[in-house]
Amino acid sequence: MDAFLHQFLSGLATGGIYATFGLALVMIFQATHYINFAQGEQAMFSAYVALILIQAGLPYWAAFATALVFAFVSGVALERLVVRPFIGAPVLSVVVVFLGMLFIINSLAGWLFTYGVQAFPSPFPPGLGNRFLSGHEIGTILVTLATLAAVYLFFRHTRLGLAMRAAAENPEASRLVGIRVGWTLALGWGLAGAIGAVAAIMAAPIIYIEPNMMAGILLYGFAAALLGGINNPWGAVAGGFIVGVIENLAGAYVIGTELKLSVALVIIVVVLVARPAGLFGTSIVGRV
Amino acid sequence: MSALLELTAVVAGYGTSQVIHGIDMSVAEGGIAALLGANGAGKTTILRAICNIRVRVSGVIVFGGLRIHGWATEEIVRLGIGHVPEGRGTFAHLTVEENLLLGAYTRRERAAVADDMRRLLDHFPRLRERLAQQAGTLSGGEQQMLAIARALMLQPRLLLLDEPSFGLAPLVVQEIFRILRQINESEGVAMLLVEQNANLALDLASDVYLMETGRIVLSGAPALVRDNAAVRRAYLGY
C-alpha cells in the first residue's frame, strides 16, 4: 500500500509539471488555434538561462525570476517577429514555422550549451521530504499550485486578464471596445513562455538538463491538454495531474519504465478516438 | 451644429468588389442620423468603413477634426466611437458584468466607470438581474441591450448602431428605441443608426440618408421622406 501511495503521490508531482506545461499549450491554442510545437524548446532554453545564472553565483530564486522574465520577453519577441507575419497563412505553413522554431532553438541550445547532460540544482532541501515524496517533489507541487493560482487570479481579476480572454474569444468585438488585440496576443505568448519555463525548471532536477529534455514533457503536456479538453485551461490542468498519475502507476505496475513514454501516445490516441473534445472541453461546431 | 463625423467621397468594398460608390454624409454633434435602404444597399459597409473593420476604404473620413481613414479599428474606437455591430458581437462566454467592464476597457477612472455601470443598469434593469450570467445565455433582446450598454460604457461621442431592431419583438424594439432617445437627449451622444424599420428610424432621427446600391439617393430632414409618398414607395416599400 505504501508503495502504491508513493507512486500515486509522485505521479501528482510530475503531473503538476505536465499540468503547467499543458496550460501553456492551451493558452496559445485558445488565442491562435494552433499548438506551439516550439513551446518545449522555449522552456528548455529558459531553463539553461537559469542554470547559467546559478552557475554564475546568483541565488536560486533570483535566477529563477530572471529566467521567467527572459522566457516572457523571448515569447513576446517570437510572436511579434516570427509568428505575426504568418497570421492568416494556411495551417501547414504555420505548423512548419513552429517546427522550424523547434529545430532552431534546439540547435542553438546545443551550440551554446553543448548536448551534454548536466545536473540542475533543486532549491528544496531534501529534509522537506517525507516517507512518500522527496523534498523536490513536494516543492514542485507547491510551485505548480502557486503558478496555477497566479494564472487564475490574473485571468479572473485583472483588467488585462479580462482583455486577453476577450481577445481570445472574439478578436473583432475586442477591437470594438478598444483592445489592442495584437499586443494581447504577444502578451499571451510571453505568459505561456514564462509558464512553460516554470515547468522546465521544475522538471530539470528530475530529468536533467539537455537540449532535448522537453521532448517527453511536450508529449505529456499535449496528452494532458487533449485529455482535459484542448479549449479548457482548467481541463488541461486536471488532465496534467491525471496523466502524471497514470504514467507513474502504469510505469510501476503495468508496462515498466522503458515503455512509459508510450503511455502519453496511448492517451492521445484513446482521447482522439473516444472523446475528441476531452473530459472537460466543448466541441467546436463549424459551419461548412 | 457642427459635424462630428464627416464622410467625403467615400468608396468602400471587399476584396475586388466595390460596394459603396462614393458617398458624402455627416453626423452632427449630438444629432441622430438614420441610414435607410433595402438589403444590400451598403448600409453596414458604411459603418464598417468608419471603424475600418476588414473593409477596403478610400476617400476622406473625419471624426472630431481628425482624418481617421486607415487607422486601426481599436485606435478609432479609442477616439470615442461606440460600434454596436450587426449580430451584436457580445462576448458569449463572458458574464454580462465582464462584457460591460470590457466596454470601459480604455478608461482608467474606476469610480466613474462604476458610476456609469450603475447608470446604464438603471436604463437597462433587465441586465442588472443577469449580471453574473454568461452573455450567450441571454435572449436576443437582452443581448442587444447588452451590446448597446457595452458600447455606451466607452463613453462614446458617437454611437454606430447596426439594425438594433433586427429579429426582436416589437415591444422590445420600442423599449430599446425609447432608451436610445433618452440617452441622446440626456447625454448628447450622437448616433448613426442603420435600420430597416424606417418608421422607427424616422421618428428618432434628426437627419435621414436614403441609400440605394451603394449611393445616397436622398438626404434631409425626416419629414422629407415621411411626407413623400413616391419616395416611400420606391425605396422603403410602404
Side-chain angles (χ1 to χ4, degrees), chain B residues 100-101 103-121 152-155 187:
Chain B
L100 292 173
L101 285 175
Y105 177 72
T106 56
R107 298 169 56 192
R108 298 275 164 186
E109 344 76 68
R110 282 179 172 227
V113 169
D115 274 353
D116 278 359
M117 174 107 84
R118 220 166 298 129
R119 199 170 41 78
L120 280 170
L121 290 174
L152 287 168
M153 284 294 288
L154 185 78
Q155 235 181 11
E187 302 173 30

Side-chain angles (χ1 to χ4, degrees), chain A residues 155-157 159-160 162-163 165-167 169-182 184, chain B residues 48 53-54 73-75 77-78 83 85 89-94 98 101-103 105-106 108 150 154:
Chain A
F155 279 106
R156 275 294 142 185
H157 294 291
R159 189 170 151 272
L160 197 57
L162 179 60
R165 282 193 287 149
E169 181 184 326
N170 191 340
E172 193 170 299
S174 300
R175 289 198 175 87
L176 290 180
V177 295
I179 295 171
R180 296 188 169 109
V181 173
T184 62
Chain B
R48 295 176 73 92
I53 308 172
R54 290 186 300 179
T73 304
E74 50 267 45
E75 306 305 329
V77 167
R78 279 163 180 254
H83 191 150
T90 50
F91 300 98
H93 295 292
L94 303 183
E98 286 171 334
L101 285 175
L102 278 168
Y105 177 72
T106 56
R108 298 275 164 186
R150 193 189 62 198
L154 185 78

Side-chain angles (χ1 to χ4, degrees), chain B residues 4 19 48 52 57 78 86 96 98 115 117 132 151 154 170 176 179 190 213 215 226 229 234:
Chain B
L4 177 62
V19 179
R48 295 176 73 92
N52 194 17
V57 190
R78 279 163 180 254
E86 202 177 18
V96 169
E98 286 171 334
D115 274 353
M117 174 107 84
L154 185 78
I176 287 177
I179 295 166
T213 55
R215 289 193 175 76
R226 205 186 284 118

Side-chain angles (χ1 to χ4, degrees), chain B residues 6-233:
Chain B
E6 195 148 26
L7 279 63
T8 313
V10 167
V11 173
Y14 306 93
T16 53
S17 72
Q18 186 176 317
V19 179
I20 305 295
H21 312 291
I23 60 150
D24 303 291
M25 65 180 298
S26 65
V27 181
E29 198 92 51
I32 299 181
L35 196 52
L36 306 179
N39 265 339
K43 307 185 296 290
T44 295
T45 305
I46 290 184
L47 296 192
R48 295 176 73 92
I50 293 169
C51 283
N52 194 17
I53 308 172
R54 290 186 300 179
V55 187
R56 201 173 36 74
V57 190
S58 63
V60 180
I61 303 176
V62 175
F63 176 75
L66 291 167
R67 292 175 71 130
I68 58 173
H69 165 225
W71 288 28
T73 304
E74 50 267 45
E75 306 305 329
I76 293 172
V77 167
R78 279 163 180 254
L79 291 176
I81 298 185
H83 191 150
V84 183
E86 202 177 18
R88 301 171 191 127
T90 50
F91 300 98
H93 295 292
L94 303 183
T95 65
V96 169
E97 187 174 14
E98 286 171 334
N99 268 277
L100 292 173
L101 285 175
L102 278 168
Y105 177 72
T106 56
R107 298 169 56 192
R108 298 275 164 186
E109 344 76 68
R110 282 179 172 227
V113 169
D115 274 353
D116 278 359
M117 174 107 84
R118 220 166 298 129
R119 199 170 41 78
L120 280 170
L121 290 174
D122 289 340
H123 281 305
F124 299 100
R126 289 216 241 170
L127 295 180
R128 176 168 281 140
E129 295 158 26
R130 312 227 185 291
L131 271 182
Q133 225 169 294
Q134 282 197 343
T137 64
L138 299 184
S139 74
E142 288 162 351
Q143 287 199 33
Q144 188 65 59
M145 292 179 194
L146 177 60
I148 294 171
R150 193 189 62 198
L152 287 168
M153 284 294 288
L154 185 78
Q155 235 181 11
R157 297 164 67 191
L158 173 68
L159 197 58
L160 305 180
L161 294 150
D162 200 345
E163 303 226 14
S165 74
F166 184 76
L168 300 183
L171 277 176
V172 179
V173 172
Q174 270 180 25
E175 192 182 343
I176 287 177
F177 272 74
R178 182 182 56 74
I179 295 166
L180 287 177
R181 182 191 297 276
Q182 206 178 337
I183 286 166
N184 171 260
E185 283 169 1
S186 64
E187 302 173 30
V189 178
M191 298 181 187
L192 176 53
L193 171 70
V194 160
E195 255 304 337
Q196 296 239 29
N197 189 330
N199 262 332
L200 275 172
L202 290 173
D203 280 348
L204 189 65
S206 46
D207 297 283
V208 176
Y209 293 87
L210 199 58
M211 280 190 80
E212 194 187 36
T213 55
R215 289 193 175 76
I216 286 172
V217 288
L218 186 78
S219 65
L224 198 71
V225 177
R226 205 186 284 118
D227 302 340
N228 189 330
V231 166
R232 280 203 326 255
R233 258 197 308 278

Side-chain angles (χ1 to χ4, degrees), chain A residues 34-126:
Chain A
Y34 295 115
I35 288 291
N36 175 14
F37 294 111
Q39 193 83 61
E41 311 311 290
Q42 284 173 251
M44 170 272 295
F45 205 94
S46 308
Y48 267 110
V49 170
L51 181 65
I52 285 171
L53 292 172
I54 292 168
Q55 286 169 348
L58 221 59
Y60 181 90
W61 291 110
F64 180 86
T66 315
L68 292 202
V69 171
F70 170 84
F72 179 87
V73 173
S74 57
V76 170
L78 276 182
E79 200 282 335
R80 298 298 305 196
L81 302 175
V82 182
V83 181
R84 175 67 44 100
F86 291 91
I87 282 179
V91 180
L92 277 180
S93 313
V94 180
V95 169
V96 167
V97 169
F98 285 171
L99 288 176
M101 286 189 339
L102 188 160
F103 291 122
I104 291 170
I105 300 173
N106 185 286
S107 314
L108 197 64
W111 182 51
L112 290 174
F113 313 119
T114 77
Y115 285 94
V117 178
Q118 298 181 56
F120 195 99
S122 165
F124 308 108

Side-chain angles (χ1 to χ4, degrees), chain A residues 247-262:
Chain A
E247 177 211 11
N248 246 29
L249 294 182
Y253 297 112
V254 188
I255 52 174
T257 45
E258 293 83 0
L259 283 173
K260 249 180 161 182
L261 202 58
S262 56

